Amino acid sequence: SLLRVVLGLQRPERGSVHYFREGNPVSKLNIGYLPQKNMIDSRFPLTVYDVVSSGLMCEGFGFRRRLSAEQQERMQEILSLIGMEEFSASSIGNLSGGQLQRTLLGRAIISNPELLVLDEPNSGLDPRSRKDFQLLLQRLAREDYTILISSHILSELADLCTSIGVINGGVMVQQGKLENIMLAIDSYNPLRITVL
């Protein structure tokens, strides 16, 4: 529900969401979104280039138009950033899970969003792809992207997030820096493991 509210797809039942400054409606923001589940049917003859460039075009897939020189330059920049330059002509049906996830992230950031929303971005990735994707997100965080990540795995957020909120039953039960949250959680779960 939180992500749907943040994306402007659902009105909150209570409370409010402020985007960088009070009164800034979501419709005025450029938001990049990476859903938990890939919604692109791999049976369509789409390439990595098609998928990433679709983030620049409101027409979506299947309506090919020529990109401007500026857009082509941005495409090359993003393909390089996500490490998919050599796969730009590859069919998405032939990609590994990690390659597809990087491609979808490329589509989410191609329009240089003010807010990047990621829903369980590491879901279904093998350990190597998970690590590569984590490094890519760290790079984006260093490049001043504002990123909202939904994840059930706190340890994966440790190197990425400046602030974490834990929601249980629609209520924020913990919020702040990860180390403070871990201390609070540890106080409820007094378990000590010693490795010799």
Side-chain angles (χ1 to χ4, degrees), residues 175-195:
Q175 64 182 12
K177 295 197 174 295
L178 180 63
E179 56 269 14
N180 297 340
I181 289 175
M182 294 308 285
L183 285 173
I185 290 172
D186 286 345
S187 69
Y188 295 121
N189 300 312
L191 176 65
R192 186 178 303 274
I193 299 174
T194 304
V195 179

Side-chain angles (χ1 to χ4, degrees), residues 30-33 74 108-116 145-146:
N30 177 6
I31 298 178
Y33 175 56
R74 178 70 177 159
I109 64 174
I110 188 75
S111 63
N112 202 22
E114 297 169 78
L115 175 63
L116 180 59
Y145 276 86
T146 299

Side-chain angles (χ1 to χ4, degrees), residues 56 67-78 110:
L56 291 170
L67 298 180
S68 69
E70 183 180 316
Q71 288 173 324
Q72 287 178 12
E73 187 177 318
R74 178 70 177 159
M75 274 295 299
Q76 292 311 311
E77 178 185 322
I78 293 301
I110 188 75

Side-chain angles (χ1 to χ4, degrees), residues 13-79:
E13 291 176 13
R14 61 184 184 277
S16 59
V17 176
H18 301 281
Y19 302 90
F20 308 107
R21 57 194 175 275
E22 189 118 8
N24 191 4
V26 68
S27 60
K28 302 263 195 239
L29 284 179
N30 177 6
I31 298 178
Y33 175 56
L34 178 64
Q36 180 178 1
K37 287 188 142 199
N38 169 27
M39 305 304 279
I40 301 172
D41 191 334
S42 61
R43 294 175 296 179
F44 287 111
L46 296 172
T47 65
V48 168
Y49 189 92
D50 294 332
V51 172
V52 174
S53 67
S54 72
L56 291 170
M57 304 175 223
C58 59
E59 294 97 334
F61 302 119
F63 294 90
R64 297 178 191 239
R65 66 176 171 94
R66 291 181 74 62
L67 298 180
S68 69
E70 183 180 316
Q71 288 173 324
Q72 287 178 12
E73 187 177 318
R74 178 70 177 159
M75 274 295 299
Q76 292 311 311
E77 178 185 322
I78 293 301
L79 288 171

Side-chain angles (χ1 to χ4, degrees), residues 92-164:
I92 60 166
N94 296 330
L95 300 178
S96 70
Q99 291 169 330
L100 181 58
Q101 196 72 333
R102 289 197 318 262
T103 299
L104 295 173
L105 180 64
R107 180 181 66 180
I109 64 174
I110 188 75
S111 63
N112 202 22
E114 297 169 78
L115 175 63
L116 180 59
V117 179
L118 310 176
D119 187 6
E120 299 283 351
N122 286 332
S123 179
L125 296 182
D126 63 80
R128 180 69 221 163
S129 296
R130 193 177 286 243
K131 182 64 178 165
D132 289 344
F133 197 73
Q134 199 77 353
L135 292 172
L136 178 55
L137 292 180
Q138 287 172 356
R139 182 173 174 187
L140 291 177
R142 284 191 307 272
E143 292 183 11
D144 289 333
Y145 276 86
T146 299
I147 305 172
L148 173 64
I149 301 175
S150 166
S151 178
H152 291 91
I153 305 168
L154 285 178
S155 60
E156 290 186 348
L157 303 176
D159 296 331
L160 287 175
C161 298
T162 55
S163 182
I164 292 180

